[in-house]
């Protein structure tokens, strides 16, 4: 287990392969710290994923192990992507699934950007 309670980073995960360019993605932004691309199964008119350029399993792993520069660069990229996609005026949701209770499917830290329509309340009540 690593810091996040998930197994160690698996270099074969789908986002690692996208980062390496082994499989295609619809990219919207790339810089030194982050890559952003459209989710393959969009839940809103705009549904973009932003991932850091490093081997981080989850939000917990990223914020414990990444450098201050990587953390700042990543979050600046998230905000920039939202702005570039025209989401600032109407708003958007940032979401990151961490671990089993959140249903994290891909073990490379990522945030979802949802927008283009009202996205409702935070999570369904139990
Ligand atoms: P999560 O449950 O937070 O781990 O979300 C993983 C997200 O990755 C889901 O919304 C998937 O639709 C998305 N996804 C999986 N494979 C790909 C891919 N090859 N390209 C783009 N998005 C993907």
């Amino acid at each position: 287990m690593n810091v996040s309670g998930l197994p160690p980073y698996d270099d074969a995960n789908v986002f690692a392969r996208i980062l390496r360019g082994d499989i295609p993605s619809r990219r919207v932004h790339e810089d030194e710290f982050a890559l952003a691309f459209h989710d393959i199964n969009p839940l809103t008119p705009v549904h973009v994923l932003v991932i850091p350029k490093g081997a981080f399993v989850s939000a917990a792993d990223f914020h414990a192990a990444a450098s201050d520069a990587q953390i700042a660069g990543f979050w600046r990229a998230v905000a920039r992507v939202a702005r570039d996609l025209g989401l600032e005026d109407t708003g958007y949701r940032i979401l990151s699934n961490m671990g089993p209770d959140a249903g994290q499917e891909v073990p490379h830290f990522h945030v979802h950007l949802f927008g283009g329509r009202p996205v409702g309340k935070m999570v369904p009540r139990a």
Side-chain angles (χ1 to χ4, degrees):
M1 291 291 181
N2 71 9
V3 65
S4 71
L6 296 171
Y9 190 79
D10 174 8
D11 225 20
N13 80 75
V14 65
F15 293 170
R17 290 156 63 202
I18 284 174
L19 262 182
R20 289 196 296 270
D22 293 347
I23 59 174
S25 64
R26 289 176 55 217
R27 297 180 178 215
V28 297
H29 175 77
E30 181 169 13
D31 62 33
E32 182 184 350
F33 298 105
L35 175 69
F37 52 93
H38 290 278
D39 195 290
I40 203 167
N41 184 24
L43 298 173
T44 48
V46 179
H47 182 177
V48 164
L49 301 168
V50 190
I51 68 175
K53 286 190 168 176
F56 303 106
V57 172
S58 67
D61 185 22
F62 179 67
H63 294 99
S67 70
D68 290 356
Q70 285 175 306
I71 293 171
F74 173 77
W75 286 108
R76 285 194 192 283
V78 173
R80 178 183 167 169
V81 168
R83 186 174 65 238
D84 290 352
L85 290 170
L87 298 176
E88 272 191 4
D89 286 346
T90 47
Y92 56 90
R93 177 164 297 154
I94 297 172
L95 180 149
S96 182
N97 292 316
M98 153 61 215
D101 276 2
Q104 182 179 354
E105 291 175 3
V106 180
H108 181 118
F109 171 53
H110 54 282
V111 303
H112 298 252
L113 270 178
F114 296 109
R117 66 163 170 80
V119 294
K121 294 291 181 189
M122 302 243 254
V123 290
R125 287 189 187 281

